[in-house]
Amino acid sequence: MKVTRVTVFDVTLPVTPSAGRQNAWIVEVETDEGLTGAGEIGLCYGIGGRGAAHVLLDLAEQYLIGADPGLIEKHHDNMVRNTFWGLSGGAVFMAAVSALDEALWDIKGKKLGAPIHALLGGAKTDSLRLYANGWYRGLGKAEAYRDAVYGVVQDGYSAFKFDPFKADLTGKAAHPRRVLTRELESLALERVVAAREAAPNADIIVEFHGNLWPADAIRFGLKAADLNPYFYEEVVDPLNVEAAADVARSVSVPLAGGERLWSRNGFRPFLENGTLKLVQPDLGIAGGFTEVQKIASLSESYCAYLQPHNCGGPISTAACVNLSAACPNFLIQEIFPYWTDGRENIVQNPYEADIKDGRLQIRDLPGLGVALNHDFLTRFDSLSVGRTT
């Protein structure tokens, strides 16, 4: 079996006031035997997705067209070690590698008639516990957070995450300044208090999005600790190991992070100094299945849990489910159940449609367990290398 063509679809999603412009960059790898694989560049939001798409096509043309898709470790090694820039990585470069890696694993699973989680050692559970994200868009006052949390709990979730610093009092998206104002600090704390009051028995992950410096993160972290957060996430700049360690030494709540890191070498110093207790690699950025399963093993050796970051489209969710199902140190899976922009139509059978009581059933379908919806994808611009069979 040989790879014949690789296509990237630019799925431009409707702009939402709080989420801004997003593009789901979906990859399809075709073979001369008719089997295809799907992947997703993990840069749906922010800047960089278009750059990763072009890097991906260069990689595919150089290393995959005409090659056996089953030699996944070889291809991963070539894309990282033989490209000069691949050795230092970066989110844009590694997002391209990651999406191709996901697609190759999808093909291998279909070829063998097995789900990817079976190829990774087999599922150790029938379903995954989820935590809901994305439920607080456009909310301002603490009372609005309380009401929204009631809805999340009624939807069956026993865990949820939010960034209490992300919006001003009117609900307008706001990027916190380096010096956290007393007003925003008080508002953020009120929001966490309201969330805890609405869900006294739920697990709450408080997101910082790397916007604070240690002094502010520590002060807020100490004030919110009495509300029993499950974790604090990305408390400082995501690459600043010592700053994160400073916070970890000062607060009692465990720290999570890693969505903007790539490769096991990016996670290693955070594990060696004991900073991260919940590791959150994004399969669409950190190297796909090939690298993230190594990150999971490295994390397990430091007694750290793993939860794949998931903030994109349904291919990202499918990848997360397969990795998490087979991961011995998996804790809980992130999910965005409240998107209204139609991204679930990227595939014919999204996992998101199967959520029940805050859990997601593991599928016993080949590969990723989802199929691309070409009727939907062909509405969008695409770029390809290779040829049609």
Side-chain angles (χ1 to χ4, degrees):
M1 182 165 54
K2 305 295 182 184
V3 174
T4 56
R5 184 159 125 135
V6 175
T7 302
V8 181
F9 297 92
D10 176 7
V11 182
T12 304
L13 300 167
V15 174
T16 58
S18 56
R21 178 178 178 270
Q22 296 204 4
N23 293 66
W25 299 90
I26 305 301
V27 178
E28 183 173 39
V29 175
E30 301 175 47
T31 69
D32 58 359
E33 293 187 9
L35 291 178
T36 64
E40 182 173 342
I41 292 171
L43 299 170
C44 183
Y45 49 94
I47 301 298
R50 190 178 305 278
H54 286 279
V55 171
L56 184 148
L57 293 173
D58 285 347
L59 290 172
E61 191 170 41
Q62 181 73 23
Y63 297 108
L64 293 186
I65 301 299
D68 180 354
L71 303 176
I72 300 176
E73 191 71 52
K74 174 184 177 181
H75 297 318
H76 196 282
D77 191 59
N78 281 336
M79 290 188 288
V80 171
R81 296 183 62 251
N82 292 348
T83 52
F84 190 82
W85 299 112
L87 278 176
S88 59
V92 172
F93 192 98
M94 288 306 297
V97 174
S98 301
L100 288 171
D101 186 84
E102 290 173 354
L104 295 180
W105 278 92
D106 192 22
I107 291 171
K108 181 177 277 288
K110 291 174 180 175
K111 176 71 174 180
L112 298 175
I116 292 174
H117 60 73
L119 306 184
L120 298 177
K124 67 180 187 66
T125 181
D126 294 328
S127 65
L128 302 177
R129 187 188 180 207
L130 307 173
Y131 71 78
N133 200 346
W135 53 270
Y136 59 99
R137 293 188 188 91
L139 302 184
K141 295 182 178 180
E143 292 79 5
Y145 282 72
R146 182 184 298 112
D147 293 342
V149 169
Y150 284 134
V152 172
V153 173
Q154 288 175 354
D155 287 340
Y157 295 97
S158 61
F160 55 88
K161 181 172 80 177
F162 72 108
D163 182 343
F165 308 96
K166 197 173 184 179
D168 63 20
L169 191 57
T170 70
K172 181 181 178 181
H175 198 76
R177 295 180 179 274
R178 277 304 188 193
V179 178
L180 181 63
T181 66
R182 294 294 184 181
E183 291 79 11
L184 181 54
E185 181 183 90
S186 297
L187 177 61
L189 188 60
E190 290 172 8
R191 288 165 171 168
V192 180
V193 169
R196 174 53 73 205
E197 289 175 350
N201 299 315
D203 288 320
I204 302 176
I205 297 177
V206 180
E207 168 75 91
F208 290 58
H209 275 124
N211 286 317
L212 304 187
W213 275 353
D216 289 326
I218 291 169
R219 188 175 61 251
F220 182 86
L222 291 172
K223 289 181 178 180
D226 289 343
L227 299 168
N228 193 27
Y230 202 31
F231 286 89
Y232 291 146
E233 180 174 336
E234 214 171 33
V235 290
V236 293
D237 290 308
L239 300 182
N240 197 327
V241 179
E242 288 307 314
D246 192 12
V247 179
R249 287 189 293 265
S250 303
V251 302
S252 59
V253 177
L255 302 190
E259 68 186 68
R260 284 183 269 202
L261 301 178
W262 55 90
S263 87
R264 76 206 90 141
N265 291 324
F267 287 88
R268 180 171 52 81
F270 290 94
L271 293 165
E272 287 179 341
N273 69 6
T275 296
L276 293 182
K277 301 304 182 186
L278 176 60
V279 172
Q280 299 169 303
D282 191 308
L283 277 146
I285 293 174
F289 290 104
T290 299
E291 186 68 19
V292 173
Q293 64 177 335
K294 297 171 184 177
I295 295 170
S297 295
L298 177 66
S299 303
E300 186 182 9
S301 69
Y302 285 94
C303 301
Y305 296 111
L306 185 127
Q307 172 264 301
H309 176 254
N310 178 34
C311 190
I315 298 296
S316 173
T317 299
C320 288
V321 171
N322 276 277
L323 189 284
S324 296
C327 181
N329 51 325
F330 165 76
L331 180 66
I332 191 168
Q333 179 59 58
E334 180 175 26
I335 200 76
F336 275 72
Y338 302 112
W339 288 118
T340 58
D341 55 17
R343 68 183 67 195
E344 71 280 357
N345 294 307
I346 290 170
V347 299
Q348 299 176 27
N349 51 342
Y351 276 92
E352 287 86 346
D354 293 343
I355 298 173
K356 185 177 181 181
D357 296 328
R359 300 189 71 88
L360 199 53
Q361 289 295 125
I362 306 303
R363 292 178 180 173
D364 194 27
L365 297 176
L368 287 168
V370 295
L372 291 177
N373 180 2
H374 288 94
D375 289 341
F376 180 76
L377 290 174
T378 53
R379 303 175 192 174
F380 302 95
D381 292 339
S382 64
L383 293 170
S384 299
V385 293
R387 59 179 177 80
T388 21
T389 54

